[in-house]
Amino acid sequence: MTTFQGQRIVLGVCGGVAAYKAIELCRKLVDAGAFVSVVMTRSSKEFVGEATFSALSSEPVWSSLFHERDAIPHTRLGQAADLVLVAPATARLISAYATGYSHDLLTNVLLATRAPVVICPAMHTEMWEHPSVQDNLSVLARRGVHVVEPEEGRLAGGDVGSGRLASSESILGEAQRVLSLSPKSNTTDNSDRAVQSEREHPGSLEGLQVLVTAGGTREPIDPVRYIGNRSSGKQGHALAEEALHRGALVTLITTAQIATSAAITAVSVETAQQMHDAVMSRSEAADVIVMAAAVADFAPTQVAAEKLKKRDGTPVFEMHPTVDILAALGSCKPKGQTLVGFAAETNNVRENAQRKLQEKQVDILVVNDVAAPGVGFEFDTNEVAILSAAAQDRVVPLTDKRSVAAAVLDAVVSTRSAQASVPSSGE
Ligand code: CTP
């Protein structure tokens, strides 16, 4: 995994009682060989002093947009950074960042950077749970900002609840993971990594980027209603957790409200179009993509701006087809990428699945007969057949979804080893 050695990290510190914990983060980053530029907000100085940070980072602290050392510090700091880490992040910082309100140096740096950003909120439980804070975080997460959620514990004033800054281990673990995702760190060829990782740990996905989708998309009709499906997202979430367990760097694009491990980058979406955009913008970097989501095939052409009223009569909806994300991925699959599709069928199960395997140009297709008892949607169990373009089919009898996930990822590992050992034409 990428180390901090030689990485340029902007450490943003906001005003909160957890600001003192940023001192430990700064020290650990410097000890690990990172170049740390500390950017403090004005109110953070009510909690900790500049001198501590500048002594640790061997660099004067930055806090003003207008600096005698540098006429435009926000662009220089933003452009030079490999990572921007904000810990603690207050509700105000999160709100300003989500809305693009650049009122101080830290918010300017956040808007001026193209480096990955990790923010670590810390605040009182009531504030943390407030819908405006959660909405702002969803907006940021949708834009690819990584959020290290706070933990339960003692808060300012002796209160106890969720909102305490995550541990420095969790924060630095996420920072390291995010740095390893950035292009600078991904210099090894995909197939080399597959062979190397499989040699080191059978069944392992160590260091591979795995993108998983989960849940049923919801297509709005009006502000309160949508057309949806019965998918719970449990199978996709189990796949993401199993991939993480096997050492992968996991991004989960999901419609489900299921808690995930902190090390998974979870992106929340609702509609087929949002899922399409979220997948396509991340697909090129992925070594493995698993489309477990139940994506709507049609969406209403018009979404009413106001709630449809009974008195206006029975509505008739015109629908348009959505983009088939899996087929789009299959048609432009980069060399070395493994693509896995799912199929939920109720009749002619194998025939339909075989057709989807070929038509969508996927490497593996996992099919379940959702009409069978205990299988698929909403259940904690599943029974699948794993069809593969290159290997033997495998049936996984009724079992829990984590075990199904393990069988699917075993098939991914076998497929990748088989592909990596076949020399490409011209060699
Ligand atoms: N899929 C997709 N985009 C869509 C529809 C489906 O990426 N707009 C993906 C699903 O995530 C799944 C696979 O395609 O991995 C098969 O989905 P399924 O609903 O079983 O099949 P469809 O292609 O939608 O065909 P049909 O509904 O006619 O069976």
Side-chain angles (χ1 to χ4, degrees):
M1 205 181 224
T2 309
T3 67
F4 292 115
Q5 184 70 43
Q7 304 278 1
R8 298 193 169 276
I9 297 176
V10 171
L11 175 61
V13 184
C14 297
V17 72
Y20 77 92
K21 295 186 183 170
I23 295 170
E24 191 193 353
L25 289 172
C26 181
R27 186 180 56 74
K28 287 189 167 168
L29 287 167
V30 171
D31 286 352
F35 300 107
V36 183
S37 301
V38 177
V39 177
M40 295 180 76
T41 64
R42 195 158 53 163
S43 55
S44 73
K45 294 185 190 172
E46 302 288 330
F47 296 88
V48 277
E50 279 188 36
T52 315
F53 284 114
S54 57
L56 285 172
S57 66
S58 312
E59 197 185 316
V61 164
W62 299 88
S63 55
S64 169
L65 267 169
F66 309 100
H67 217 287
E68 55 191 29
R69 276 183 286 153
D70 192 333
I72 42 168
H74 62 290
T75 42
R76 190 189 66 75
L77 287 166
Q79 283 166 355
D82 294 310
L83 178 79
V84 180
L85 173 65
V86 185
T90 53
R92 175 155 106 150
L93 181 280
I94 292 165
S95 166
Y97 187 23
T99 55
Y101 177 56
S102 54
H103 61 92
D104 65 0
L105 181 60
L106 182 54
T107 44
N108 271 270
V109 169
L110 286 166
L111 295 193
T113 193
R114 294 210 170 128
V117 176
V118 175
I119 62 169
C120 311
M123 60 197 78
H124 249 74
T125 309
E126 293 82 353
M127 294 172 77
W128 167 245
E129 289 175 353
H130 196 281
S132 59
V133 172
Q134 292 301 319
D135 285 352
N136 286 330
L137 283 167
S138 307
V139 167
L140 293 176
R142 242 194 338 266
R143 292 182 191 146
V145 173
H146 305 269
V147 179
V148 182
E149 298 216 347
E151 297 171 349
E152 297 259 333
R154 267 182 68 129
L155 305 166
D159 290 345
V160 176
S162 57
R164 190 175 71 172
L165 184 70
S167 68
S168 58
E169 289 71 32
S170 307
I171 294 172
L172 295 176
E174 179 64 359
Q176 200 173 23
R177 192 189 72 82
V178 169
L179 274 169
S180 72
L181 293 176
S182 72
K184 227 169 98 172
S185 314
N186 290 323
T187 47
T188 321
D189 177 61
N190 284 342
S191 50
D192 287 353
R193 268 188 284 156
V195 173
Q196 196 187 341
S197 113
E198 178 57 14
R199 258 190 224 130
E200 284 164 6
H201 314 278
S204 154
L205 297 169
E206 193 77 45
L208 296 184
Q209 294 199 38
V210 174
L211 180 62
V212 181
T213 64
T217 59
R218 297 172 164 192
E219 306 304 326
I221 296 169
D222 68 14
V224 296
R225 304 181 181 94
Y226 61 84
I227 298 175
N229 61 63
R230 292 184 188 280
S231 170
S232 63
K234 288 177 185 169
Q235 185 62 74
H237 278 249
L239 278 154
E241 297 290 348
E242 180 62 23
L244 179 73
H245 175 69
R246 291 171 180 232
L249 304 162
V250 184
T251 302
L252 174 65
I253 298 170
T254 181
T255 65
Q257 307 294 318
I258 301 174
T260 54
S261 296
I264 292 177
T265 303
V267 181
S268 216
V269 296
E270 188 172 284
T271 65
Q273 186 62 47
Q274 287 168 0
M275 185 166 280
H276 170 268
D277 297 347
V279 169
M280 290 326 240
S281 63
R282 293 168 177 82
S283 63
E284 221 178 280
D287 299 303
V288 179
I289 303 181
V290 185
M291 282 292 306
V295 187
D297 291 326
F298 304 97
T301 304
Q302 298 282 343
V303 180
E306 289 169 2
K307 186 183 171 198
L308 298 172
K309 303 300 282 178
K310 276 201 292 280
R311 64 170 175 270
D312 296 330
T314 309
V316 175
F317 299 110
E318 187 188 283
M319 309 277 276
H320 66 274
T322 57
V323 181
D324 190 319
I325 306 167
L326 187 60
L329 291 168
S331 68
C332 61
K333 193 160 75 76
K335 180 173 171 279
Q337 187 178 78
T338 309
L339 188 55
V340 182
F342 268 68
E345 302 292 344
T346 54
N347 59 324
N348 298 332
V349 175
R350 279 298 183 104
E351 295 83 332
N352 287 338
Q354 200 62 50
R355 187 175 41 78
K356 282 179 193 171
L357 178 77
Q358 280 154 14
E359 284 180 0
K360 301 201 187 196
Q361 302 178 68
V362 297
D363 299 294
I364 295 167
L365 197 104
V366 185
V367 57
N368 49 15
D369 177 353
V370 285
V375 175
F377 297 150
E378 291 168 344
F379 294 103
D380 290 328
T381 50
N382 209 355
E383 178 180 293
V384 302
I386 303 173
L387 314 188
S388 163
Q392 287 278 36
D393 296 352
R394 176 175 169 198
V395 173
V396 184
L398 195 64
T399 183
D400 60 281
K401 289 189 171 174
R402 184 67 182 253
S403 303
V404 171
V408 172
L409 294 179
D410 282 345
V412 166
V413 171
S414 312
T415 301
R416 292 183 67 80
S417 318
Q419 286 168 343
S421 58
V422 175
S424 60
S425 57
E427 279 181 320

